[in-house]
Structures are given as structure tokens and as C-alpha cells.
RNA sequence: GGCGAGGUAGCUCAGUGGUAGAGCAGGGGACUCAUAAGCCCUUGGUCGAGAGUUCGAAUCUCUCCCUCGCCA
């Protein structure tokens, strides 16, 4: 029976381009996992979108003198371009700046309020008389009260690195006009996390046995040592989702509170545009559905604690408010396989210093599958990993090209040349043939189990190992010698090797979809392994937003061993991957740290 | 300072009680279908330090050192 798998992917903040660290942290593992489940025949719903709200975006917009919406739209378009080029198959990649998302977020707010999990409290916040508005911490500068640095930001000091309490800044001034702000009282809604703590702890304990230790121990440790405290969920801003309470028109929902709701609102939006408004329930209210949240470690608190707290707090009330009828409560996360960070040449990736490799930039010079390969084989699943250009070239040449690409190429070209462009007719299988087929077929189980457990690195390693087994088999059988004296025997060997490669193509497909597709076509199949991506523009009363979508179409890829038939016509084989010159490592390193042209 | 993660071969990392592993790099060999790829053999580690539990510890406990992250 097919399972319902919700693949919930981190929402990129739409004020900067996506770099390889972001990709390996969440977007790529999500796609690999989703592709595997699609091949398995499960019902996958992979959703995400641009995080359009919040002060980083308004700060950037103010600096450029353009509306916040323009900044978000620009990066949103670039995200979609990258995801198409890299083949990240979102069922829906949308945005938080939609009417639907606002409605869902407001319903969650109201459900929490009705269930008694919200309260209001007065805070002191900087207010600018000249600008006539409250200023978020990022809009304040002043002298750091820890190190005395003159140009500390309101939320953090760039000199000593400490996180600051903006109300303690010495000589505060408004970034916008240099005026001196004053602390003024302002009232905000808070989510009563203290009250929800027992439910969150119970949730975490129930997941403890199979979650990654760094996610669950860290979360439980956090709660054990400091306990959960109320946290504000509204702000004095004008860019964002209005607070659905009379008299609160000039405040907005805090972006941390509303962005995580996107996993739900995007599923609801997807159902709406797919023609079955109720379809999202299969992933959200059916107890047998499983949800996996692919995020970087900086987001663990939001997904392992705060989002579950929101979900626990709304209970069944959400259905009453949002759908106007009674319904079931929403599923809590099944797993949160958060990744650690990827460093760049031993240093932290930094956008402002241009120390990193940006996805779109990379794809101007290299193909998508080598990037997917390197980021997977080097994925920071258990600890921080490091992007090293020499290592990238080595792994591309020694593993991807030599072990796998060359295997496919040597066997296909041998078959193509000696058997008239067709899969040769095998004789009776010998012990070695049976053994190899059995070994490769077992990969559907072993690689599958690893993918299912979100051990993507190990899964890829296992697939590479199996490719090595085929290389060994070929060496033992030496069909290039056998063909001179025993063409029938050589035909059997080549048939078996082709069969193995046809299977390996599927085992590699979640990680290397583009080249697996190429191989698939070389083997003469006409239907594609996967469906296709496309974009659409949707309009609502907040304006227009482009969405990235996915349709299965004619795809027939399936997680099962090859059923290759003798005499199948092959396409002329071409190398799957390019060898890279070692010199490119040095060239690429030179690009690091240079300031880019503003996009 | 608190919490968390990590410290295993030159490099990147697997390995949670039972004779130290993989890939790459280094050395040697046979082969030649293939993107000078693949295959076979091989050098190399007191598993951060010390103590303890155990018949047995990289693996469990304690103390300490180092790196990273979060928080204060």
C-alpha cells in the first residue's frame, strides 16, 4: 500500500541567493528523499516557498530604496531558476506572501487564541518620533555596551560578536535618519510556550528512538535547562501578515511564527490549484501519513519545538476556524533530519564576504549531477562538512567519472559496437552471473533502507560500492578476451553487466536524476524516469506570485531491478560525466572572497 | 559559564562491548573493453589524554584538553 509522505523543505529567506551550504543543508536531501519515495510509488507531497517577510528583507529594500516586495520577488525568481536547473522537484514551491498563507496563518493565530495559548504583554521598544514608527532592532545602531564598539547593530555587535539587547545600547540612533529614538511601550501577543511545554516534551520523547541525536538531545536539553518561555508572535512592522484582531491593524505576525506555517499553507494551496481542495488532508490529518522536515541545524528550535508547539496548541480548533466544521488535529512532525553546516575551504560561508559557492553561479560552469554527487557524498549529516575544490575535482574524477560513468560507458560502447547496437542475447547464466545479479538486486533493499532512514551519504556509498562490484565482475569475465574465442559467453557477460547497470541507474537516480535519465534513454526506454517541473503565475489580492510545480506525466521510473530484454535497440552511448582539470580548483579558489557585481 | 555536537590512517569520514575499517593519496603488479578509466596486492593508526567498569572498551562511566554551534 502506498504511503503518504510529506516532504517539508526549509523556506529560503528571499533576501540572498542560495549557496551550496543551503543546498546540502536542506533542499537537496529533501529532493533525494522525495525522488526515492516517488520511485517507490508512494504519494509524495514536497512543498516549500520563499520566506518573503521579516526585517532582513525590509532592511535590504530600504538600503536599495525599493519596495520590500520587489526584493522578495527578485530572489524568489532566482530560487525557482536554480531549483529547475538543479532538478529539485517541488510539488509546490510558493511564497509566504500569498492570500492563502495569510488566511492559514491567521486561522492558526485565532485557534491558539481560542484555546488559551496566547496572551498579551507590554514591551519597551525603540520608537522614532521623526519617522513616526517603532523600529525593529535591526533598524537601530549605537555603541556596544559590552565592547564599546561605536557601530554596533541593535541585535548584534559586529565587533565582539555578542548578541545584544537593543534597549541597553549606548547612544542609540535610527539607521534611517540618525535621529535619537526613545523607548516606548508597545503591546504584543505572546505564545504561551510554558503551558505547551509538557506536550512538546511528550512529542520529543516519542520521537527519541529514531531522530538524529543532535536534533532530539539538543531540543530536550534546551527545554530541560531553561524551560520554555512565552515568546512574542507579533511585531511593529508594516511588511507582513496582519494580526487578525481589531485594533491591531498596524502590527504584523512575527516572521518566525508565520513562516513555519508555510508547510501547511503550501499543502493547502497545492490542493486548491490541483483541483481537489480537500486533498491536503491525506498528508496532514491522516494519522498514517509521515512528515519529514528538511532543515539546517540553525532551524532546529523552530521545527522541533516551536512548530510542534503551535500544532499541539491549535488541536482540532484549527478545523473549526479554517474550514468552518469540526475536523481532526494536524500531524506533528514524524522526523526532522536536520543537517549540520557546510564550510567553504575551511571557513564559514559568508554572503557579505562572498565566501561561498552560489548555486546559479556554479551551474554556469558545471553540470547539476556532479554538484548533487559531491554535496551528497560530503553531506553534513552528523557533523559539519567542508567544501574543498581539490576534493570536488578528485571525487568527480575518481568516483563519479571513473567508477560509475566509465562503467556505464565501457559496457554500453562494447555492446553497441559488437552486437549491432543491441542488447546481446544471453546464454544460460553461470554462477558468477547469478551472483552479480543477486548482489545488485539486493541494493534495492540496502540502498532503499538507507534512503528511507535519511542516511543519504551511506546510501550513495552503497550504490557506488555496487558499481565497483560490476567493475570487478567485468574484470574477472574479461569479455574483451572472451569475444575472440567464445562470443556467446561474452554476450552473456555483457547482457548481465547491462542488466546491472540498468538497475544501478535506478539506485543512483534519486541523487543523479539527470544522468540516470540519460542512461535510461540510452537503454532505449521512451518513458522518462521522473515527471517534469513547470511554473505558473497565480494571482490573488496580494498580487501575483510565480510557483514552481511538478507533474508526474508519463514517468514510469520504479524502484525495482532491471527487466532488460535481449535485442533491445540501444542509443549510441555518450559519456555521462566530464573529467575536470585539477587546475580548476585553484581558479575557483581565486573567486572566493572577491566582491561580486550586485545582481 | 550552561547546553549540544565533534576529536579514529597523510586527507575526507564509517564504525555504540568481542581480533582497528572504507574511499582518496603513496608503493608494486597483471590486463587493455572504457573518459590513461577499471582490476589485484600493498605501506600506513598507542581510535584527543588519563583513570575506572568488564573476561574483553574506539564503543560504557568519570576527570581533563582541543574544535565548532546555540544560549547566557
Amino acid at each position: 500500500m502506498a504511503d503518504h509522505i510529506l516532504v517539508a523543505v526549509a523556506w529560503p529567506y528571499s533576501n540572498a541567493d542560495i549557496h551550496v551550504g543551503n543546498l546540502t543543508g536542506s533542499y537537496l536531501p529533501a529532493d533525494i528523499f522525495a525522488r526515492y519515495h516517488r520511485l517507490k510509488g508512494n504519494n509524495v507531497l514536497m512543498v516549500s516557498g520563499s520566506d518573503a517577510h521579516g526585517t532582513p528583507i525590509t532592511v535590504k529594500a530600504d538600503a536599495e530604496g525599493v519596495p520590500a516586495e520587489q526584493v522578495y520577488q527578485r530572489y524568489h525568481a532566482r530560487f525557482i531558476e536554480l531549483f529547475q536547473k538543479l532538478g529539485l522537484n517541488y510539488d509546490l514551491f510558493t511564497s509566504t506572501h500569498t492570500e492563502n498563507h495569510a488566511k492559514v496563518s491567521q486561522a492558526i493565530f485565532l485557534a491558539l487564541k481560542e484555546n488559551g495559548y496566547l496572551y498579551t504583554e507590554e514591551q519597551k521598544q525603540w520608537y522614532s518620533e521623526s519617522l513616526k514608527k517603532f523600529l525593529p532592532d535591526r533598524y537601530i545602531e549605537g555603541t556596544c555596551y559590552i565592547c564599546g564598539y561605536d557601530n554596533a547593530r541593535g541585535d548584534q555587535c559586529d565587533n565582539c560578536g555578542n548578541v545584544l539587547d537593543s534597549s541597553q545600547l549606548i547612544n542609540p540612533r535610527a539607521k534611517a535618519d540618525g535621529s535619537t529614538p526613545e523607548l516606548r511601550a508597545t503591546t504584543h501577543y505572546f505564545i504561551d510556550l510554558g503551558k505547551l511545554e509538557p506536550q512538546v516534551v511528550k512529542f520529543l520523547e516519542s520521537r527519541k528512538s529514531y531522530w538524529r541525536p543532535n536534533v532530539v538531545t539538543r531540543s530536550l536539553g534546551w527545554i530541560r535547562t531553561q524551560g520554555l518561555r512565552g515568546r512574542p508572535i507579533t511585531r511593529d512592522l508594516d511588511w507582513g501578515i496582519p494580526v487578525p484582531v481589531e485594533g491591531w491593524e498596524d502590527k504584523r505576525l512575527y516572521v518566525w511564527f508565520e513562516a513555519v506555517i508555510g508547510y501547511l499553507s503550501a499543502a493547502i494551496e497545492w490542493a486548491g490549484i490541483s483541483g481537489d481542495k480537500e486533498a491536503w488532508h491525506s498528508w496532514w490529518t491522516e494519522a498514517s501519513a509521515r512528515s519529514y522536515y528538511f532543515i539546517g541545524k540553525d532551524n532546529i528550535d523552530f521545527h522541533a519545538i516551536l512548530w510542534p508547539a503551535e500544532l499541539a496548541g491549535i488541536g482540532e480548533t484549527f478545523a473549526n476556524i479554517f474550514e468552518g466544521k469540526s475536523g481532526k488535529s494536524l500531524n506533528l512532525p514524524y522526523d526532522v533530519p536536520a543537517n549540520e553546516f557546510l564550510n567553504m575551504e575551511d571557513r564559514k560561508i559568508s554572503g557579505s564576504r562572498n565566501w561561498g559557492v552560489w548555486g546559479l553561479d556554479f551551474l554556469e560552469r558545471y553540470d547539476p549531477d556532479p554538484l548533487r554527487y559531491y554535496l551528497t557524498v560530503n553531506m553534513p549529516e552528523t557533523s559539519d562538512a567542508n567544501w574543498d575544490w581539490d576534493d570536488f575535482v578528485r571525487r568527480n574524477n575518481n568516483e563519479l567519472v571513473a567508477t560509475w560513468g566509465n562503467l556505464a560507458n565501457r559496457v554500453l560502447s562494447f555492446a553497441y559496437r559488437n552486437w549491432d547496437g543491441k542488447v546481446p542475447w544471453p546464454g544460460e547464466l553461470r554462477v558468477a552471473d547469478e551472483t552479480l545479479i543477486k548482489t545488485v538486486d539486493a541494493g534495492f533493499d540496502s540502498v532503499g533502507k538507507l534512503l528511507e532512514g535519511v542516511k543519504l551519504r551511506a546510501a550513495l556509498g552503497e550504490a557506488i560500492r555496487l558499481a565497483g562490484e560490476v567493475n570487478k565482475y567485468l574484470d574477472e569475465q574479461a569479455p574483451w578476451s572472451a569475444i575472440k574465442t567464445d562470443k556467446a559467453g561474452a554476450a552473456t557477460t555483457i547482457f548481465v553487466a547491462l542488466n546491472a547497470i540498468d538497475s544501478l541507474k535506478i539506485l543512483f537516480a534519486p541523487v543523479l536524476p539527470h544522468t540516470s535519465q540519460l542512461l535510461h534513454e540510452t537503454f532505449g526506454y521512451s518513458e522518462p524516469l521522473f515527471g517534469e517541473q513547470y511554473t505558473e503565475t497565480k494571482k490573488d489580492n496580494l498580487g501575483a506570485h510565480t510557483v514552481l510545480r511538478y507533474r508526474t506525466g508519463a514517468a514510469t521510473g520504479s524502484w525495482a531491478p532491471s527487466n532488460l530484454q535481449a535485442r533491445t535497440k540501444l542509443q549510441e552511448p555518450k559519456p555521462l560525466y566530464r573529467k575536470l582539470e585539477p587546475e580548476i580548483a585553484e581558479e575557483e579558489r581565486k573567486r572566493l572572497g572577491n566582491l561580486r557585481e550586485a545582481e
Side-chain angles (χ1 to χ4, degrees):
Chain A
M1 201 189 76
D3 296 334
H4 282 82
I5 308 285
L6 179 71
V7 179
V9 196
W11 290 55
Y13 222 57
S14 50
N15 72 331
D17 276 327
I18 288 174
H19 55 63
V20 291
N22 306 136
L23 288 172
T24 198
S26 50
Y27 316 133
L28 177 61
D31 182 64
I32 292 168
F33 186 77
R35 283 181 188 267
Y36 164 70
H37 280 287
R38 291 190 208 278
L39 289 170
K40 280 286 271 189
N42 287 326
N43 297 307
V44 173
L45 183 62
M46 172 163 156
V47 292
S48 184
S50 288
D51 188 345
H53 300 138
T55 51
I57 288 157
T58 56
V59 165
K60 183 146 191 147
D62 291 348
E64 294 181 12
V66 300
E69 171 148 17
Q70 193 174 318
V71 170
Y72 132 66
Q73 289 284 8
R74 182 200 312 154
Y75 288 102
H76 180 66
R78 292 173 65 83
F79 296 161
I80 287 179
E81 186 190 347
L82 173 61
F83 295 163
Q84 285 182 290
K85 286 183 173 164
L86 198 56
L88 303 186
N89 283 350
Y90 291 89
D91 288 283
L92 182 71
F93 183 84
T94 177
S95 146
T96 56
H97 196 58
T98 69
E99 195 182 344
N100 170 70
H101 178 68
K103 275 188 184 156
V104 175
S105 300
Q106 288 171 341
I108 295 229
F109 175 95
L110 292 170
L112 286 168
K113 187 161 175 281
E114 188 171 319
N115 290 350
Y117 290 116
L118 298 187
Y119 62 92
T120 58
E121 198 173 286
E122 216 173 66
Q123 288 184 305
K124 297 277 190 196
Q125 190 89 39
W126 292 111
Y127 183 85
S128 163
E129 190 57 51
S130 57
L131 298 164
K132 295 273 180 264
K133 63 180 183 184
F134 282 97
L135 299 174
D137 293 345
R138 298 247 189 155
Y139 283 74
I140 300 285
E141 291 175 335
T143 302
C144 176
Y145 55 85
I146 295 173
C147 73
Y149 178 64
D150 279 343
N151 289 309
R153 304 189 326 224
D155 54 345
Q156 189 171 18
C157 175
D158 286 331
N159 187 49
C160 65
N162 282 296
V163 173
L164 303 181
D165 170 1
S166 75
S167 65
Q168 293 186 49
L169 275 185
I170 302 159
N171 297 325
R173 57 188 183 274
K175 251 183 178 172
D177 63 356
S179 63
T180 304
E182 59 179 44
L183 281 174
R184 203 181 262 197
T186 175
T187 305
H188 284 290
Y189 272 99
F190 283 64
I191 180 168
D192 195 344
L193 293 169
K195 218 191 258 186
L196 288 160
E197 182 178 313
Q199 295 179 65
V200 173
V201 170
K202 194 177 151 209
F203 156 74
L204 289 170
E205 292 288 354
S206 73
R207 265 67 171 165
K208 208 173 171 178
S209 64
Y210 64 91
W211 277 24
R212 292 185 182 173
N214 59 335
V215 177
V216 71
T217 54
R218 178 197 146 94
S219 301
L220 283 167
W222 162 276
I223 294 172
R224 193 183 61 245
T225 50
Q226 16 207 321
L228 293 180
R229 277 169 292 185
R231 191 175 167 127
I233 62 170
T234 59
R235 293 198 95 176
D236 292 291
L237 260 189
D238 48 16
W239 173 244
I241 297 174
V243 181
V245 176
E246 227 180 284
W248 286 67
E249 289 77 11
D250 54 351
K251 307 198 189 228
R252 297 291 177 267
L253 295 181
Y254 213 133
V255 67
W256 77 259
F257 172 79
E258 133 298 269
V260 286
I261 296 171
Y263 302 114
L264 172 64
S265 69
I268 292 171
E269 182 181 351
W270 170 84
I273 58 185
S274 298
D276 176 4
K277 279 190 172 172
E278 303 293 320
W280 63 275
H281 280 105
S282 301
W283 287 271
W284 273 102
T285 58
E286 290 302 325
S288 61
R290 303 201 299 275
S291 53
Y292 293 80
Y293 290 74
F294 288 87
I295 57 163
K297 68 174 165 186
D298 52 330
N299 255 324
I300 290 175
D301 296 342
F302 296 106
H303 294 77
I305 297 175
L306 300 171
W307 176 230
E310 289 181 37
L311 287 167
I314 61 176
E316 294 172 9
T317 310
F318 175 75
N320 292 324
I321 291 173
F322 186 70
E323 302 182 275
K325 60 185 184 192
S326 60
K328 297 189 211 167
S329 58
L330 302 177
N331 291 338
L332 292 167
Y334 177 79
D335 197 0
V336 182
N339 276 345
E340 306 290 303
F341 286 154
L342 182 70
N343 291 319
M344 174 57 55
E345 295 281 348
D346 295 320
R347 282 165 56 184
K348 223 194 267 192
I349 292 177
S350 159
S352 57
R353 299 194 177 93
N354 194 32
W355 192 264
V357 173
W358 275 260
L360 282 173
D361 190 43
F362 179 97
L363 292 173
E364 281 180 18
R365 297 190 291 286
Y366 310 100
D367 295 326
D369 281 8
L371 177 61
R372 295 175 65 113
Y373 179 80
Y374 184 59
L375 291 179
T376 305
V377 85
N378 199 22
M379 199 166 262
E381 289 177 340
T382 53
S383 59
D384 288 354
N386 186 42
W387 175 296
D388 179 294
W389 276 106
D390 289 311
D391 193 43
F392 171 73
V393 173
R394 265 199 305 270
R395 284 183 176 277
N396 179 78
N397 292 354
N398 294 335
E399 299 173 19
L400 192 57
V401 176
T403 304
W404 171 228
N406 181 59
L407 167 66
N409 193 43
R410 69 193 289 209
V411 175
L412 278 161
S413 49
F414 194 75
Y416 192 81
R417 185 153 12 89
N418 290 299
W419 282 276
D420 198 23
K422 294 191 180 119
V423 176
W425 194 272
E428 195 163 332
L429 298 192
R430 300 150 297 191
V431 175
D433 306 325
E434 302 272 15
T435 305
L436 182 76
I437 289 185
K438 216 177 284 175
T439 301
V440 173
D441 287 1
F444 287 89
D445 202 47
S446 58
V447 177
K449 278 210 173 71
L450 290 166
L451 289 172
E452 197 136 334
V454 206
K455 295 181 173 168
L456 310 186
R457 238 174 121 130
L460 180 56
E462 174 71 358
I464 280 282
R465 186 187 70 77
L466 293 171
E469 291 296 326
V470 183
N471 275 320
K472 279 177 204 162
Y473 164 82
L474 280 171
D475 196 69
E476 283 159 15
Q477 301 305 316
W480 48 89
S481 314
I483 196 167
K484 293 169 192 160
T485 53
D486 172 19
K487 187 156 185 186
T492 305
T493 301
I494 292 301
F495 176 85
V496 168
L498 285 171
N499 184 287
I501 291 164
D502 196 33
S503 286
L504 282 167
K505 164 198 84 186
I506 298 291
L507 298 179
F508 278 114
V511 178
L512 308 171
H514 303 90
T515 45
S516 282
Q517 176 59 33
L518 208 65
L519 255 184
H520 192 58
E521 290 162 18
T522 308
F523 272 105
Y525 298 97
S526 51
E527 310 295 349
L529 289 172
F530 294 104
E532 57 186 2
Q533 299 172 298
Y534 61 104
T535 60
E536 278 178 4
T537 300
K538 297 290 171 189
K539 287 190 179 131
D540 62 23
N541 66 13
L542 286 178
H545 67 286
T546 303
V547 295
L548 178 62
R549 299 190 60 197
Y550 175 81
R551 63 177 152 238
T552 304
T556 55
S558 157
W559 192 257
S562 165
N563 185 29
L564 190 66
Q565 301 298 312
R567 297 290 151 84
T568 302
K569 180 102 187 73
L570 298 169
Q571 301 295 309
E572 186 170 0
K574 280 174 290 194
L576 296 176
Y577 308 101
R578 289 184 294 149
K579 270 199 87 158
L580 297 171
E581 297 301 324
E583 291 73 41
I584 68 138
E586 192 49 41
E587 286 164 26
E588 290 291 347
R589 269 193 298 270
K590 280 187 191 144
R591 293 173 192 268
L592 292 172
N594 295 332
L595 289 184
R596 292 187 300 166
E597 300 290 317
E599 319 86 26

